[in-house]
Amino acid sequence: MWAGHICPQPQQFWDARHRSIRCAYQPPAPDFSRSFMDLTLTPEQTLYRDSLRAFVNKEIIPVARDWEQSGRYPTEIVESMRGLGLFGILVPEEYGGMGADAVSFALTFEEISRGWMGIAGILGTHSVACWMIAHYGTAEQKTKYLPGLASGERRSGLALTEPGAGTDLQGIATTAVRDGDEYVVNGTKMWITNARHADPLPVLVKTDRTATGAFAG
């Protein structure tokens, strides 16, 4: 190893001062003449961010501490987010959503998290579920669910965590077994954001009980 880089060549030498073998390879100096990604916001993204910032400052920050400590569900904030169209941020425009770009998506969570992380959680899992349906759902599922999810009339989330599996999602035990044209799901999920309101709710399962290792299931 030399300067934190893996040696790409076998040439080595004995470093008498440190009494160790050193790699003779020196990594090239970084070339700062290259152009970097332009992260300047477009006028539309700037306007969107400023609108979100005003919403957070007015409706979230003043109540966040008290509502968080009392365990009060932020019904009024959720309704305001529906009015702003935020539940449809990752729903394609053809289904009534924003079809937002990645930068606008990041701005949404940057601003809302600044006010109250819990609110970002309500919107986050819903948005990921919308993305999953928009990209991998059937035509029937998209038509049935996405318009309602975009308006916030429907809510969604992600059923991942189990009593024996948290961040280690490969450790889930919930299974789905094919029975004719349907799947029979057996297992237990817990700590699912939006579970009380979710319809539909994507659930992480194993379709092969014997599967092990990375990406098993």
Side-chain angles (χ1 to χ4, degrees):
M1 299 289 287
W2 179 268
H5 293 266
I6 296 176
C7 180
Q9 303 175 22
Q11 295 92 341
Q12 296 176 331
F13 67 94
W14 175 253
D15 185 336
R17 187 164 65 92
H18 294 94
R19 301 188 62 79
S20 63
I21 295 176
R22 289 295 188 93
C23 175
Y25 171 74
Q26 290 274 4
D31 181 6
F32 292 108
S33 65
R34 294 182 179 181
S35 60
F36 290 88
M37 182 182 295
D38 183 4
L39 297 179
T40 304
L41 300 182
T42 66
E44 293 78 11
Q45 291 167 343
T46 300
L47 178 60
Y48 178 68
R49 181 204 59 193
D50 292 346
S51 298
L52 277 173
R53 186 165 294 177
F55 162 65
V56 171
N57 289 343
K58 180 181 178 181
E59 298 195 34
I60 296 182
I61 290 178
V63 300
R65 180 184 295 273
D66 290 341
W67 289 10
E68 173 79 25
Q69 291 180 349
S70 66
R72 184 187 188 285
Y73 189 79
T75 302
E76 296 87 344
I77 296 174
V78 169
E79 288 301 310
S80 292
M81 290 197 300
R82 286 186 58 182
L84 292 171
L86 295 182
F87 282 100
I89 188 171
L90 290 187
V91 176
E93 292 183 18
E94 63 185 290
Y95 296 103
M98 288 187 193
D101 59 272
V103 173
S104 297
F105 182 73
L107 289 172
T108 301
F109 288 90
E110 182 177 67
E111 290 299 325
I112 290 179
S113 299
R114 179 177 62 86
W116 187 358
M117 192 68 182
I119 301 297
I122 292 173
L123 189 61
T125 53
H126 170 93
S127 298
V128 174
C130 290
W131 183 89
M132 291 171 59
I133 295 171
H135 283 76
Y136 301 107
T138 64
E140 180 183 359
Q141 290 170 334
K142 294 176 184 180
T143 301
K144 179 178 180 180
Y145 295 120
L146 289 179
L149 291 169
S151 68
E153 178 183 356
R154 288 181 181 270
R155 303 265 289 286
S156 191
L158 297 172
L160 307 179
T161 308
E162 299 181 1
T167 55
D168 178 19
L169 296 179
Q170 294 184 44
I172 65 168
T174 300
T175 60
V177 179
R178 191 70 176 262
D179 183 8
D181 295 332
E182 300 177 343
Y183 280 95
V184 177
V185 177
N186 284 291
T188 302
K189 297 292 183 178
M190 61 188 298
W191 297 328
I192 309 304
T193 303
N194 293 334
R196 183 181 300 176
H197 308 280
D199 177 23
L201 179 64
V203 179
L204 183 66
V205 301
K206 283 186 176 180
T207 55
D208 180 357
R209 293 187 178 123
T210 65
T212 59
F215 309 110

mmCIF file of all heavy atoms in Angstrom, residues 149-178:
data_model
loop_
_atom_site.group_PDB
_atom_site.id
_atom_site.type_symbol
_atom_site.label_atom_id
_atom_site.label_comp_id
_atom_site.label_asym_id
_atom_site.label_seq_id
_atom_site.Cartn_x
_atom_site.Cartn_y
_atom_site.Cartn_z
ATOM 1 N N LEU A 149 -52.332 7.750 -5.288
ATOM 2 C CA LEU A 149 -51.086 7.958 -4.558
ATOM 3 C C LEU A 149 -50.513 9.342 -4.849
ATOM 4 O O LEU A 149 -49.951 9.990 -3.969
ATOM 5 C CB LEU A 149 -50.067 6.880 -4.936
ATOM 6 C CG LEU A 149 -50.374 5.458 -4.448
ATOM 7 C CD1 LEU A 149 -49.446 4.446 -5.105
ATOM 8 C CD2 LEU A 149 -50.274 5.367 -2.931
ATOM 9 N N ALA A 150 -50.675 9.805 -6.079
ATOM 10 C CA ALA A 150 -50.167 11.120 -6.454
ATOM 11 C C ALA A 150 -50.895 12.231 -5.718
ATOM 12 O O ALA A 150 -50.285 13.229 -5.301
ATOM 13 C CB ALA A 150 -50.292 11.322 -7.961
ATOM 14 N N SER A 151 -52.192 12.085 -5.537
ATOM 15 C CA SER A 151 -52.978 13.121 -4.872
ATOM 16 C C SER A 151 -52.885 13.047 -3.353
ATOM 17 O O SER A 151 -53.243 13.993 -2.658
ATOM 18 C CB SER A 151 -54.448 13.001 -5.287
ATOM 19 O OG SER A 151 -55.016 11.811 -4.757
ATOM 20 N N GLY A 152 -52.404 11.920 -2.836
ATOM 21 C CA GLY A 152 -52.367 11.727 -1.385
ATOM 22 C C GLY A 152 -53.650 11.124 -0.853
ATOM 23 O O GLY A 152 -53.767 10.875 0.343
ATOM 24 N N GLU A 153 -54.615 10.886 -1.740
ATOM 25 C CA GLU A 153 -55.843 10.208 -1.310
ATOM 26 C C GLU A 153 -55.506 8.804 -0.831
ATOM 27 O O GLU A 153 -56.086 8.301 0.134
ATOM 28 C CB GLU A 153 -56.825 10.151 -2.472
ATOM 29 C CG GLU A 153 -58.125 9.430 -2.150
ATOM 30 C CD GLU A 153 -59.047 9.316 -3.342
ATOM 31 O OE1 GLU A 153 -58.704 9.879 -4.410
ATOM 32 O OE2 GLU A 153 -60.101 8.671 -3.220
ATOM 33 N N ARG A 154 -54.576 8.176 -1.521
ATOM 34 C CA ARG A 154 -54.008 6.907 -1.081
ATOM 35 C C ARG A 154 -52.632 7.181 -0.487
ATOM 36 O O ARG A 154 -51.961 8.131 -0.879
ATOM 37 C CB ARG A 154 -53.863 5.926 -2.242
ATOM 38 C CG ARG A 154 -55.149 5.340 -2.772
ATOM 39 C CD ARG A 154 -54.823 4.384 -3.900
ATOM 40 N NE ARG A 154 -55.997 3.774 -4.493
ATOM 41 C CZ ARG A 154 -56.547 2.627 -4.077
ATOM 42 N NH1 ARG A 154 -55.997 1.969 -3.060
ATOM 43 N NH2 ARG A 154 -57.599 2.134 -4.667
ATOM 44 N N ARG A 155 -52.228 6.344 0.435
ATOM 45 C CA ARG A 155 -50.886 6.447 1.002
ATOM 46 C C ARG A 155 -50.226 5.085 0.896
ATOM 47 O O ARG A 155 -50.883 4.056 0.786
ATOM 48 C CB ARG A 155 -50.974 6.868 2.476
ATOM 49 C CG ARG A 155 -51.708 8.175 2.681
ATOM 50 C CD ARG A 155 -50.759 9.333 2.737
ATOM 51 N NE ARG A 155 -50.023 9.269 3.989
ATOM 52 C CZ ARG A 155 -50.555 9.578 5.178
ATOM 53 N NH1 ARG A 155 -51.808 9.985 5.278
ATOM 54 N NH2 ARG A 155 -49.827 9.493 6.273
ATOM 55 N N SER A 156 -48.905 5.087 0.974
ATOM 56 C CA SER A 156 -48.189 3.831 0.909
ATOM 57 C C SER A 156 -46.929 3.910 1.752
ATOM 58 O O SER A 156 -46.633 4.934 2.378
ATOM 59 C CB SER A 156 -47.848 3.472 -0.543
ATOM 60 O OG SER A 156 -47.385 2.141 -0.635
ATOM 61 N N GLY A 157 -46.190 2.824 1.775
ATOM 62 C CA GLY A 157 -44.958 2.727 2.548
ATOM 63 C C GLY A 157 -44.205 1.490 2.106
ATOM 64 O O GLY A 157 -44.420 0.978 1.011
ATOM 65 N N LEU A 158 -43.339 0.979 2.964
ATOM 66 C CA LEU A 158 -42.561 -0.210 2.660
ATOM 67 C C LEU A 158 -42.543 -1.114 3.889
ATOM 68 O O LEU A 158 -42.061 -0.714 4.944
ATOM 69 C CB LEU A 158 -41.126 0.148 2.274
ATOM 70 C CG LEU A 158 -40.939 0.995 1.014
ATOM 71 C CD1 LEU A 158 -39.481 1.415 0.895
ATOM 72 C CD2 LEU A 158 -41.382 0.242 -0.221
ATOM 73 N N ALA A 159 -43.058 -2.330 3.748
ATOM 74 C CA ALA A 159 -43.057 -3.290 4.851
ATOM 75 C C ALA A 159 -41.790 -4.123 4.764
ATOM 76 O O ALA A 159 -41.738 -5.145 4.074
ATOM 77 C CB ALA A 159 -44.299 -4.170 4.796
ATOM 78 N N LEU A 160 -40.748 -3.686 5.470
ATOM 79 C CA LEU A 160 -39.448 -4.350 5.423
ATOM 80 C C LEU A 160 -39.079 -4.992 6.752
ATOM 81 O O LEU A 160 -38.738 -6.173 6.817
ATOM 82 C CB LEU A 160 -38.356 -3.343 5.026
ATOM 83 C CG LEU A 160 -38.576 -2.516 3.750
ATOM 84 C CD1 LEU A 160 -37.399 -1.557 3.557
ATOM 85 C CD2 LEU A 160 -38.734 -3.407 2.541
ATOM 86 N N THR A 161 -39.112 -4.191 7.831
ATOM 87 C CA THR A 161 -38.579 -4.611 9.123
ATOM 88 C C THR A 161 -39.405 -5.731 9.762
ATOM 89 O O THR A 161 -40.635 -5.736 9.695
ATOM 90 C CB THR A 161 -38.534 -3.416 10.082
ATOM 91 O OG1 THR A 161 -37.850 -2.347 9.449
ATOM 92 C CG2 THR A 161 -37.824 -3.773 11.374
ATOM 93 N N GLU A 162 -38.696 -6.665 10.412
ATOM 94 C CA GLU A 162 -39.323 -7.773 11.137
ATOM 95 C C GLU A 162 -38.724 -7.860 12.536
ATOM 96 O O GLU A 162 -37.679 -7.246 12.804
ATOM 97 C CB GLU A 162 -39.092 -9.090 10.385
ATOM 98 C CG GLU A 162 -39.676 -9.110 8.984
ATOM 99 C CD GLU A 162 -39.440 -10.442 8.287
ATOM 100 O OE1 GLU A 162 -38.840 -11.348 8.909
ATOM 101 O OE2 GLU A 162 -39.853 -10.571 7.113
ATOM 102 N N PRO A 163 -39.340 -8.614 13.439
ATOM 103 C CA PRO A 163 -38.772 -8.763 14.787
ATOM 104 C C PRO A 163 -37.333 -9.263 14.777
ATOM 105 O O PRO A 163 -36.533 -8.905 15.641
ATOM 106 C CB PRO A 163 -39.710 -9.789 15.449
ATOM 107 C CG PRO A 163 -41.014 -9.603 14.743
ATOM 108 C CD PRO A 163 -40.659 -9.286 13.326
ATOM 109 N N GLY A 164 -36.969 -10.076 13.774
ATOM 110 C CA GLY A 164 -35.624 -10.619 13.727
ATOM 111 C C GLY A 164 -34.755 -10.049 12.627
ATOM 112 O O GLY A 164 -33.668 -10.559 12.364
ATOM 113 N N ALA A 165 -35.231 -9.003 11.977
ATOM 114 C CA ALA A 165 -34.462 -8.429 10.866
ATOM 115 C C ALA A 165 -34.777 -6.947 10.746
ATOM 116 O O ALA A 165 -35.907 -6.571 10.451
ATOM 117 C CB ALA A 165 -34.793 -9.140 9.555
ATOM 118 N N GLY A 166 -33.750 -6.126 10.998
ATOM 119 C CA GLY A 166 -33.923 -4.688 10.875
ATOM 120 C C GLY A 166 -33.205 -4.189 9.643
ATOM 121 O O GLY A 166 -33.706 -4.280 8.525
ATOM 122 N N THR A 167 -31.986 -3.676 9.846
ATOM 123 C CA THR A 167 -31.213 -3.211 8.701
ATOM 124 C C THR A 167 -30.667 -4.377 7.874
ATOM 125 O O THR A 167 -30.330 -4.199 6.710
ATOM 126 C CB THR A 167 -30.025 -2.345 9.170
ATOM 127 O OG1 THR A 167 -29.247 -3.089 10.124
ATOM 128 C CG2 THR A 167 -30.531 -1.067 9.847
ATOM 129 N N ASP A 168 -30.595 -5.570 8.488
ATOM 130 C CA ASP A 168 -30.137 -6.753 7.758
ATOM 131 C C ASP A 168 -31.318 -7.384 7.043
ATOM 132 O O ASP A 168 -31.910 -8.356 7.507
ATOM 133 C CB ASP A 168 -29.498 -7.758 8.715
ATOM 134 C CG ASP A 168 -29.047 -9.027 8.004
ATOM 135 O OD1 ASP A 168 -28.895 -8.977 6.767
ATOM 136 O OD2 ASP A 168 -28.879 -10.057 8.673
ATOM 137 N N LEU A 169 -31.673 -6.834 5.896
ATOM 138 C CA LEU A 169 -32.877 -7.291 5.204
ATOM 139 C C LEU A 169 -32.740 -8.682 4.624
ATOM 140 O O LEU A 169 -33.745 -9.329 4.307
ATOM 141 C CB LEU A 169 -33.242 -6.292 4.102
ATOM 142 C CG LEU A 169 -33.613 -4.893 4.612
ATOM 143 C CD1 LEU A 169 -33.929 -3.973 3.443
ATOM 144 C CD2 LEU A 169 -34.796 -4.966 5.560
ATOM 145 N N GLN A 170 -31.507 -9.171 4.491
ATOM 146 C CA GLN A 170 -31.342 -10.551 4.032
ATOM 147 C C GLN A 170 -31.812 -11.540 5.091
ATOM 148 O O GLN A 170 -32.003 -12.716 4.794
ATOM 149 C CB GLN A 170 -29.884 -10.815 3.674
ATOM 150 C CG GLN A 170 -29.405 -10.007 2.479
ATOM 151 C CD GLN A 170 -27.985 -10.358 2.091
ATOM 152 O OE1 GLN A 170 -27.631 -11.527 2.054
ATOM 153 N NE2 GLN A 170 -27.168 -9.364 1.828
ATOM 154 N N GLY A 171 -32.000 -11.049 6.310
ATOM 155 C CA GLY A 171 -32.414 -11.927 7.394
ATOM 156 C C GLY A 171 -33.919 -12.058 7.541
ATOM 157 O O GLY A 171 -34.385 -12.657 8.510
ATOM 158 N N ILE A 172 -34.700 -11.525 6.606
ATOM 159 C CA ILE A 172 -36.153 -11.612 6.752
ATOM 160 C C ILE A 172 -36.617 -13.060 6.690
ATOM 161 O O ILE A 172 -35.996 -13.909 6.038
ATOM 162 C CB ILE A 172 -36.889 -10.783 5.683
ATOM 163 C CG1 ILE A 172 -36.639 -11.360 4.284
ATOM 164 C CG2 ILE A 172 -36.504 -9.316 5.751
ATOM 165 C CD1 ILE A 172 -37.548 -10.785 3.219
ATOM 166 N N ALA A 173 -37.737 -13.340 7.385
ATOM 167 C CA ALA A 173 -38.297 -14.686 7.401
ATOM 168 C C ALA A 173 -39.648 -14.759 6.708
ATOM 169 O O ALA A 173 -40.170 -15.853 6.473
ATOM 170 C CB ALA A 173 -38.444 -15.172 8.854
ATOM 171 N N THR A 174 -40.240 -13.624 6.377
ATOM 172 C CA THR A 174 -41.551 -13.611 5.725
ATOM 173 C C THR A 174 -41.446 -14.230 4.336
ATOM 174 O O THR A 174 -40.541 -13.905 3.563
ATOM 175 C CB THR A 174 -42.087 -12.176 5.604
ATOM 176 O OG1 THR A 174 -42.200 -11.614 6.907
ATOM 177 C CG2 THR A 174 -43.441 -12.148 4.931
ATOM 178 N N THR A 175 -42.386 -15.119 4.024
ATOM 179 C CA THR A 175 -42.353 -15.827 2.746
ATOM 180 C C THR A 175 -43.625 -15.571 1.950
ATOM 181 O O THR A 175 -44.667 -15.212 2.497
ATOM 182 C CB THR A 175 -42.213 -17.343 2.953
ATOM 183 O OG1 THR A 175 -43.329 -17.824 3.721
ATOM 184 C CG2 THR A 175 -40.915 -17.681 3.667
ATOM 185 N N ALA A 176 -43.516 -15.760 0.648
ATOM 186 C CA ALA A 176 -44.663 -15.714 -0.253
ATOM 187 C C ALA A 176 -44.599 -16.958 -1.131
ATOM 188 O O ALA A 176 -43.635 -17.148 -1.867
ATOM 189 C CB ALA A 176 -44.640 -14.456 -1.102
ATOM 190 N N VAL A 177 -45.631 -17.794 -1.034
ATOM 191 C CA VAL A 177 -45.662 -19.061 -1.764
ATOM 192 C C VAL A 177 -46.771 -19.001 -2.807
ATOM 193 O O VAL A 177 -47.907 -18.634 -2.494
ATOM 194 C CB VAL A 177 -45.885 -20.250 -0.806
ATOM 195 C CG1 VAL A 177 -45.950 -21.564 -1.589
ATOM 196 C CG2 VAL A 177 -44.772 -20.303 0.236
ATOM 197 N N ARG A 178 -46.436 -19.335 -4.025
ATOM 198 C CA ARG A 178 -47.403 -19.297 -5.117
ATOM 199 C C ARG A 178 -48.495 -20.348 -4.917
ATOM 200 O O ARG A 178 -48.209 -21.503 -4.637
ATOM 201 C CB ARG A 178 -46.692 -19.521 -6.451
ATOM 202 C CG ARG A 178 -47.534 -19.250 -7.685
ATOM 203 C CD ARG A 178 -47.785 -17.771 -7.804
ATOM 204 N NE ARG A 178 -48.511 -17.436 -9.014
ATOM 205 C CZ ARG A 178 -47.930 -16.995 -10.136
ATOM 206 N NH1 ARG A 178 -46.615 -16.872 -10.183
ATOM 207 N NH2 ARG A 178 -48.656 -16.701 -11.183
#
